[in-house]
Amino acid sequence: MARGQSLRELVLAFAQDLIFRYRLDPPRGFEYVSPAATAITGYTPEEHYAEPDLWFRIVDPDDRPALERLLHAAEEPSRPLVFRWVRKDGAMAWTEQRAVVVHDEAGRPVAVEGVVHDITDRKRAEEDRLAREAAEAADRAKSEFLARISHELRTPLNSILGFAQLLQMSDLPPDHREDVEHIIAAGRHLLDLIGEVLDIARIEDGRAPLSLAPVRVREVLEEVSALVRPLAVQRHIALQAVLPAGCGYAVLADRRHLKQVLLNLLSNAVKYNREGGLVLVSCEETPGGRLRVRVQDTGPGLAPDKVARLFTPFERLGAERTGVQGTGLGLALSRRLAEAMGGKLDVHSQVGVGSTFWVELPLVTGQSGETATATPTAELEVFKRTRFVLYIEDELSHVKLVQRLLASRPEVRLLPAADGGVGLELARQHRPHLILLDLSLGEMPGEDVLLRLRQDPATAAIPVVVVSAHAGRERINWVLNAGARAVLTKPLDVRQVLDLVDEILLQREPCHARGVA
């Protein structure tokens, strides 16, 4: 038959494609299916003949409406149709189908004839290309973002470090020179940290610029302890390092990254410790030629469910409600850094007892050091004798004046705050021994600040001395009734200020200006 001859020609021309004829007259079903059906769908031609609705069963549900329109001759397809099939072996196959509707002499549709071409390999290649392009675009976006963040952080650091170094070069008193050196050290550490964040991003991409070499643990611990000690002193926390012979050994690590890991562990041990607590740092050799550095604190400890989430990025376990600064990123990054250096980082914690974080790295044989022991610093005793004065004042010249006045009292340190909101926050965080409060502030009037200080249980007991250029009797009486300890009027009388400080903070001579100017 001519029709049969036409089908044979199609089979010869498209031997690798599925050739079919689907009858529309009852009983509906396949009249012809080429042998390529087995390779494309997994079902033999005989299985097609036995199951007229086979394609409806294996086609993707989203593509079924188009297949129904085709095989029911509801419309003549004007372009190739793409269908997704679930092969007999369960794999997904993509096909491109060209078909025509065959009509009888009366113009009535009687069959659909077509060719099915397997495009699975082409689709997979296209999906791989799109995924690769998306990954490359995401990588470029991340790199651009990190570069911008790096720029935005380095710009103010340039001024901080630049001016600090200029101050360092000037003729400063020894105590001021030490302060400037702390600023420079902290600024340079922040500069290193910016580079480390960029390095961590490269670690995740498998492009980490690690420089593994022998690093003496004792030297890194001494550097890190020097950075953390001021924070420990501020919180009355004893930072104690017990360094046995193991800490004199060298480990195979990237020095900068190891410093960042240990700094994060020590600073966390101080920040999340209890007031007046203890941080203990120690080293020990472990089987397998490794060195374990342990950082133990006397904080509240963690329940097992929280320990399981501890190394999840941005997970702060409720610490965001405590006022302790942090991003929840440090421990996750530290663990990745340790692993990138061939080590590991973990924790053991007990509620009510404290936590012990440890990092373990490969030892470098043949490079040992001497035993040394560091004891709690004498700075803690100095800190206990220090008296802090918070001065809430938006005029810098007035702050500098009071700083000069209090310079004659080495036991007293001034904490300035440029507005009422900052002053309230500093008062809650630092619990100063005395607050000097100017009434003529910008956004928040001094009267409002005074009322909030008295209403907050955390600050209600702190003595407040009001400083004002308005000496009206009604205003003085109001602030005294609102809870102020005394009132000083501008321009300040140096003797009155010092007398008041001596009486309230140092229990020396009685103040002669209480309640009056």
Side-chain angles (χ1 to χ4, degrees), residues 82 163 191 210 213 226 263 440 495:
V82 175
F163 283 110
L191 195 60
L210 291 173
L263 181 60
S440 301
R495 186 69 263 163

Side-chain angles (χ1 to χ4, degrees), residues 388-403 405-406 413-420 422-423 426-427 432 434-439 441 465-468 488 490 492 497:
F388 288 91
V389 176
L390 172 63
Y391 188 14
I392 307 176
E393 168 65 75
D394 56 4
E395 288 289 341
L396 182 59
S397 60
H398 296 165
V399 175
K400 289 184 176 180
L401 172 61
V402 173
Q403 284 177 328
L405 293 180
L406 296 180
R413 294 187 186 179
L414 189 69
L415 298 174
D419 61 66
V422 173
L426 288 175
L434 171 64
I435 298 175
L436 299 178
L437 172 63
D438 183 69
L439 292 184
L441 299 174
V465 173
V466 167
V467 180
S468 176
L488 294 173
K490 300 177 181 178
L492 294 175
V497 175

Side-chain angles (χ1 to χ4, degrees), residues 217-238:
V217 176
R218 182 190 308 285
E219 296 175 1
V220 180
L221 281 172
E222 288 173 350
E223 293 178 21
V224 171
S225 297
L227 288 170
V228 175
R229 186 163 288 114
L231 178 62
V233 171
Q234 186 181 31
R235 299 200 62 227
H236 299 227
I237 291 173

Side-chain angles (χ1 to χ4, degrees), residues 205-454:
D205 296 336
R207 300 181 288 109
L210 291 173
S211 178
L212 298 180
V215 179
R216 292 196 179 276
V217 176
R218 182 190 308 285
E219 296 175 1
V220 180
L221 281 172
E222 288 173 350
E223 293 178 21
V224 171
S225 297
L227 288 170
V228 175
R229 186 163 288 114
L231 178 62
V233 171
Q234 186 181 31
R235 299 200 62 227
H236 299 227
I237 291 173
L239 177 59
Q240 183 173 358
V242 179
L243 306 180
C247 284
Y249 282 96
V251 295
L252 189 63
D254 183 293
R255 181 184 178 88
R256 190 176 65 175
H257 289 156
L258 177 59
K259 180 180 176 181
Q260 176 59 27
V261 170
L262 293 177
L263 181 60
N264 183 65
L265 296 185
L266 263 72
S267 60
N268 278 357
V270 172
K271 288 192 299 183
Y272 299 104
N273 212 321
R274 59 179 173 81
E275 195 81 9
L278 173 69
V279 175
L280 182 65
V281 182
S282 61
C283 305
E284 65 174 352
E285 295 182 57
T286 62
R290 302 169 78 85
L291 180 72
R292 177 175 292 186
V293 182
R294 296 185 301 181
V295 179
Q296 182 178 357
D297 65 58
T298 56
L302 297 168
D305 63 317
K306 289 190 175 182
V307 171
R309 293 152 42 205
L310 193 58
F311 296 96
T312 302
F314 305 106
E315 174 62 77
R316 298 201 62 207
L317 304 178
E320 64 275 9
R321 298 188 294 272
T322 66
V324 178
Q325 296 298 314
T327 63
L329 195 60
L331 285 175
L333 296 180
S334 293
R335 171 174 273 186
R336 292 180 190 179
L337 285 172
E339 292 172 349
M341 293 185 288
K344 56 183 179 180
L345 190 154
D346 214 332
V347 61
H348 171 74
S349 189
Q350 185 176 352
V351 175
V353 177
S355 303
T356 300
F357 288 85
W358 52 266
V359 59
E360 196 172 276
L361 292 167
L363 272 169
V364 178
T365 58
Q367 299 195 38
S368 61
E370 71 286 354
T371 302
T373 301
T375 58
T377 75
E379 297 172 10
L380 182 58
E381 296 303 320
V382 175
F383 180 85
K384 289 179 179 179
R385 296 194 299 269
T386 302
R387 294 295 176 264
F388 288 91
V389 176
L390 172 63
Y391 188 14
I392 307 176
E393 168 65 75
D394 56 4
E395 288 289 341
L396 182 59
S397 60
H398 296 165
V399 175
K400 289 184 176 180
L401 172 61
V402 173
Q403 284 177 328
R404 292 287 184 87
L405 293 180
L406 296 180
S408 61
R409 300 293 188 269
E411 308 97 323
V412 178
R413 294 187 186 179
L414 189 69
L415 298 174
D419 61 66
V422 173
L424 289 170
E425 185 63 26
L426 288 175
R428 283 190 289 266
Q429 288 183 2
H430 295 279
R431 310 289 178 87
H433 300 87
L434 171 64
I435 298 175
L436 299 178
L437 172 63
D438 183 69
L439 292 184
S440 301
L441 299 174
E443 296 182 1
M444 185 183 299
E447 291 88 347
D448 291 349
V449 176
L450 176 61
L451 291 176
R452 295 192 185 189
L453 287 169
R454 295 285 74 101

